[in-house]
Amino acid sequence: MSTTTKTKKLTATALNTLDAKNNKRKKIYVTDQRYEVQIHTFFRKSLIDNVNTNYLSIIDQLRQKTDVTDQLIKDTVGLYNTLLLKEFTDLPIPKKLDVEKLIKVTNMLLDNGIMEEVLTQFPEQELKKLEEQFRALQERMAAMVSELAITRSQQVAHESV
C-alpha cells in the first residue's frame, strides 16, 4: 500500500501567502514619551544580508578615505546596530549610507536609550540568526578594519614627517 502526497503548483499567490509570515511586526514604545516603533518579529534572510552588506560597504568606504580619524574608526563599531535598526524597524534612520550621518543618528539613539530599548525587544531567536550570519562575515570585516587602521597609522606617520 503506497501513500501519495498531493502536490501543488507554486503560484505567485501561493508564494505571497508563504511570504506573508515573514512580514510580522509588533508595536513597541520607547522613552518616557512613549514613542511608537514598529519592529520586525521575524528577520528575513534578505534583510539580514542587507545589514551585513551595508556594514561591509561602510567599512569599505572608510578604507577608501584619506582623512579617517581614530574617532571615526571607533564610531563605526556602533553602526552595525544602527543598520540592524534601519532594516528591522521604522525608526528614522537615513537610507543613504553616509557614515557621518549614520554615526550622528547612532549617537542620538544611544544617548537617548532608544538603541538598547529597541534591541531588547527583538525576539532572541531572531537576533541569534543575525549573529550567526555576522560571524560568517567577521573574518572579512576584521581584515578590512585592520587595513583601515594600518592606513590610518600610515597617514599619521606621513603627517608627522
Side-chain angles (χ1 to χ4, degrees):
M1 178 177 196
S2 69
T3 59
T4 57
T5 305
K6 185 176 178 176
T7 61
K8 302 179 198 176
K9 177 135 178 83
L10 184 60
T11 63
T13 303
L15 186 56
N16 286 332
T17 301
L18 281 172
D19 196 51
K21 73 174 178 21
N22 299 333
N23 295 318
K24 301 255 189 286
R25 291 175 176 74
K26 81 174 184 180
K27 199 181 298 183
I28 64 167
Y29 299 92
V30 297
T31 77
D32 293 339
Q33 288 82 21
R34 298 198 34 85
Y35 291 109
E36 180 181 302
V37 177
Q38 289 282 333
I39 66 169
H40 290 238
T41 58
F42 178 82
F43 287 8
R44 301 168 76 84
K45 177 150 178 29
S46 58
L47 295 181
I48 291 172
D49 288 347
N50 287 350
V51 173
N52 291 330
T53 302
N54 287 338
Y55 190 68
L56 285 174
S57 177
I58 285 171
I59 300 298
D60 195 47
Q61 282 178 38
L62 290 174
R63 279 186 21 215
Q64 295 173 26
K65 284 181 155 243
T66 56
D67 59 343
V68 175
T69 64
D70 293 336
Q71 185 62 44
L72 186 60
I73 293 170
K74 181 180 119 356
D75 288 341
T76 60
V77 174
L79 291 181
Y80 191 82
N81 285 339
T82 301
L83 294 172
L84 163 69
L85 297 183
K86 177 179 166 280
E87 290 296 332
F88 295 107
T89 73
D90 64 353
L91 287 168
I93 297 170
K95 298 294 179 214
K96 188 170 183 253
L97 295 180
D98 179 294
V99 177
E100 284 80 13
K101 285 182 183 173
L102 286 171
I103 287 170
K104 184 177 179 181
V105 170
T106 298
N107 289 337
M108 286 190 285
L109 292 170
L110 284 168
D111 294 344
N112 291 290
I114 296 167
M115 178 83 70
E116 184 177 352
E117 282 187 67
V118 175
L119 289 174
T120 61
Q121 292 296 315
F122 285 122
E124 188 65 34
Q125 71 272 17
E126 298 307 306
L127 289 172
K128 282 183 181 167
K129 285 185 349 192
L130 184 76
E131 186 180 321
E132 288 168 15
Q133 291 286 326
F134 183 69
R135 264 195 229 124
L137 284 177
Q138 277 183 319
E139 273 186 42
R140 242 172 82 198
M141 289 188 315
M144 292 171 81
V145 171
S146 294
E147 187 178 318
L148 183 59
I150 290 167
T151 302
R152 173 65 184 139
S153 65
Q154 289 170 345
Q155 288 171 348
V156 170
H158 181 66
E159 290 167 2
S160 64
V161 172

